[in-house]
Each structure stands twice: as structure tokens, then as C-alpha cells.
Amino acid sequence: MGTAEGVGGTGERSAIVAGGGIGGLAAGLALTRSGWRVKVLERAATFGEVGAGLSLWPNGVRALDALGVGDQVREQALAETRAGVRDTAGRWLSRTDTQELADRFGPLVMVHRARLLDILRAALPAGTLCAANEVTRVGPRDRGVEVEHGGTASRADLLVAADGIRSTVRSALWPQAPGPRYAGYTTWRLVVDAGQRLPVGGESWGRGERVGIAPLPDGRTYLFCVANAPEGQREPGRELDAIRRRFGHWHDPIPQLLAAADEESVLRHDIHALPPLASFVSGRAVLLGDAAHAMTPNLGQGANQALEDAVTLAALLDTRPDVDAALTAYDLARRPRTQRIARRSRRIGAVAQWRSAPATALRDLLLRMTPDSAVLGGLAPVLDWRPPGH
């Protein structure tokens, strides 16, 4: 993208997308399909991610359908996998019938994060992706934006900030906005090859600790472990030993999965969330995904909401008379929904991480007494989303 591309009389609208993760790639694809000339800037030297498992819920799959890549991920559906919440001994507290969920809302897809990124990258036109291009400065320019990146400056009609929870663009254009806040718990994520595909997934809840299991289509298993912990606490080279000590005595197949794991596969991250912002729009810059509404992972909606953002943004730019009107509509459509989901996810995480014995006993009892149909019905406001115009 040259220094004057996309601005002032070319007739073709141009966009710069900061961030080459799921939200950024989805935004680039959505805008490209709407006729925009797009550059996706990624600060890393290569496009890729050392990731683990990712839940694509029906709302996210519908967004991928709108992007033209839904069929490639729908093949990964786990409609016959049993799921729900268990206690540390393996007794079911709540069950989720994934077939009923699929019949009511659409399929739940479990995919490796790297696989989804591969699909999105492959769908973008050649020349769209620009690695080793960190955004260093942004500012308004001629009813558009000017972005300095990788030692050059580019102008465009629109800047989409999809550069994550510690967004450079958000810091520059929303200087008064609060930064990420620690949720009080840390997570270990790993993919394990235990030699067989498990028929059961879901979470197990203890006192201030949780384990999640999700079979992947290639026969491996995505495992995540969560524990209340001080922020920044680490055990370099011994993270696997740490989770074996914590969770190795929990119900099957958790001990077997941990026994089959290796230290190099363990990723540890403290969980942070972004406090609500007053707006997702500043001039011709718009926030998307974690840069706008980073949330705790307790509803599995982070990536799904980024996909919704991307599809909604492109659709509104197609149907509104100008870019400014479309961005106003995007803020009104996306900010209330994503902030509601973020609040709900935060509350679920708080309850799931309770440590008190009386509190956790009451929590488990209430889960057992709640009809499974009520749990499924409670997901409707999240999963019933449809792309604009569909």
C-alpha cells in the first residue's frame, strides 16, 4: 500500500488491518470480499501461532459461513461428543447434549487454532499479508488514517485495530481507556496425543481449580487447567510438574492425559480481561476482537465474537452511505453485545473459581438441580446471532 493508496479519488476503498490473528484475518477477508483493498499488518516475522484447541460455537460458525470458509471448519463438528461439567471425582454436575445443541443452534466445532488461521490465510488474496510490520504510529489524514509500520507510512480510508488485548492502536487513539485487568487465575494449555480420541469433553470443577478436556478431530486432545494464583507466577521448565501435582489425582482421563504430555507442549498464560470501553470507534479507526473487548474464556466466545465483529463491520460498510455512518452503526451493534457477553463470562469464571468449601458445595448442588434444558436455553442470547442481512 503506497503512501496515498485508497484515499482521495481512486474510487476503491482501502483498509489497513493491524493484527494477523483470527480477528484481523477475518476482518481482512470480510473487507476483501466486499471490494476493499486490504493490507493485514502483523508484527511477528511470520504469520502463525503456537496455539491449542479452539471452540467455534454456532454463532462463530455462521460468521465463517458469511466469510465463505464455513464448510472447511464444519467438517470438524463434534456433534456426538458428550460434554458438561463434572466434579473432581468425575460425577456429572451438568450435562450438555451437543447433538441437541447442534439441532437447535447449529454445530459446535472444535479445531486447532492453527488450523483456523491456515484456512483464513489461504482465503485471502496474494499480497494481502505483511509480516514483520509492527504499527508504530497512527493518526488522522485526509478523511482517513495514516499508519507508520515497518519503516514506512501508509494511508487508507479505514484502520481496523485487531492487534490484541495490549493493542498499540488502542493505546494511541484511546489514551484514557483502562488497560487489561488480571482476572485472578492462570491457565495452562496443551495438546496431548494419548493414542485415542476421547468420547467425552467438558470441564471439571474443584475449589479454585478447573480442568477442561476437548477432543480434536485429528485424534489428539486439547487440555486446559485453571487455578487461582498470583499474577506473574511461573515455574520455568516445570509447568507440567506443577499441573501434575495439582490435577494428577483428579478423575480419569485427566491423569492419563497429563502422563502423556510433554513439557514443551505446555503454554501458560494469566487471564486478563479488558474493562468496558465507551466507544469502539475513533475517527476512521475501529477496534475489533480482543483490542475492543478482550474477555475471560469461560464462555469460549473470544474468537467467536471477533468473527462476529469482522462480518458485522464489513456488512455495515456495505449498507451505510459512508464510512463514518457505518462505524457509528458498528459501535451501536457490537459494543453492547460484546460487553454483555464479557460480563457473563466474568461471572461464570468467578463462580467456577470459588475456593470456599461451603460455597463450592452449594454451587455444585445448584448445578445438579438445574435442568440441562435450562442451561442450553440460557445460551440462546449468545448462540442465536445471525450475520447482518441474513
Side-chain angles (χ1 to χ4, degrees), residues 50 188-194 220-221 223 237-241 243-244 255-268:
V50 180
W188 297 264
R189 297 178 297 142
L190 56 160
V191 174
V192 179
D193 187 353
R220 295 182 297 169
T221 301
L223 183 72
R238 301 181 58 191
E239 297 292 357
L240 183 56
D241 288 341
I243 54 178
R244 283 172 173 165
Q256 292 88 339
L257 290 172
L258 291 174
D262 58 82
E263 180 69 34
E264 290 71 25
S265 70
V266 180
L267 304 173
R268 182 173 179 179

Side-chain angles (χ1 to χ4, degrees), residues 127-298:
T128 302
L129 306 177
C130 302
N133 268 265
E134 182 175 2
V135 173
T136 54
R137 192 189 67 82
V138 298
R141 181 72 179 268
D142 300 336
R143 287 185 58 79
V145 291
E146 183 173 84
V147 180
E148 291 185 3
H149 59 94
T152 189
S154 299
R155 289 166 55 191
D157 298 300
L158 175 67
L159 171 61
V160 180
D163 51 344
I165 188 171
R166 303 189 188 280
S167 166
T168 298
V169 177
R170 189 183 67 242
S171 296
L173 298 181
W174 283 259
Q176 304 305 317
R181 295 175 182 168
Y182 183 47
Y185 43 93
T186 191
T187 182
W188 297 264
R189 297 178 297 142
L190 56 160
V191 174
V192 179
D193 187 353
Q196 61 178 345
R197 185 184 182 281
L198 299 178
V200 178
E203 293 191 12
S204 300
W205 291 7
R207 294 172 53 188
E209 298 176 330
R210 276 181 288 164
V211 174
I213 298 171
L216 294 170
D218 61 5
R220 295 182 297 169
T221 301
Y222 170 46
L223 183 72
F224 63 89
C225 304
V226 187
N228 296 346
E231 184 176 8
Q233 186 181 74
R234 294 291 184 273
E235 297 187 43
R238 301 181 58 191
E239 297 292 357
L240 183 56
D241 288 341
I243 54 178
R244 283 172 173 165
R245 288 195 304 270
R246 283 181 178 271
F247 304 105
H249 61 285
W250 287 31
H251 66 81
D252 294 339
I254 295 170
Q256 292 88 339
L257 290 172
L258 291 174
D262 58 82
E263 180 69 34
E264 290 71 25
S265 70
V266 180
L267 304 173
R268 182 173 179 179
H269 296 94
D270 291 342
I271 300 300
H272 292 81
L274 196 66
L277 300 178
S279 175
F280 288 173
V281 175
S282 176
R284 288 293 183 88
V286 59
L287 298 173
L288 183 150
D290 281 353
H293 48 68
M295 59 187 69
T296 61
N298 303 296

Side-chain angles (χ1 to χ4, degrees), residues 277-352:
L277 300 178
S279 175
F280 288 173
V281 175
S282 176
R284 288 293 183 88
V286 59
L287 298 173
L288 183 150
D290 281 353
H293 48 68
M295 59 187 69
T296 61
N298 303 296
L299 274 173
Q301 279 293 311
N304 295 276
Q305 291 306 303
L307 292 168
E308 286 188 18
D309 288 346
V311 169
T312 301
L313 176 62
L316 293 173
L317 286 163
D318 271 349
T319 57
R320 293 302 186 273
D322 57 49
V323 173
D324 298 315
L327 296 183
T328 297
Y330 169 85
D331 185 59
L332 291 173
R334 297 304 302 160
R335 188 160 45 85
R337 172 170 169 78
T338 55
Q339 290 177 353
R340 281 196 303 270
I341 291 172
R343 285 194 300 270
R344 182 172 178 179
S345 182
R346 185 175 65 250
R347 288 195 297 266
I348 291 172
V351 172

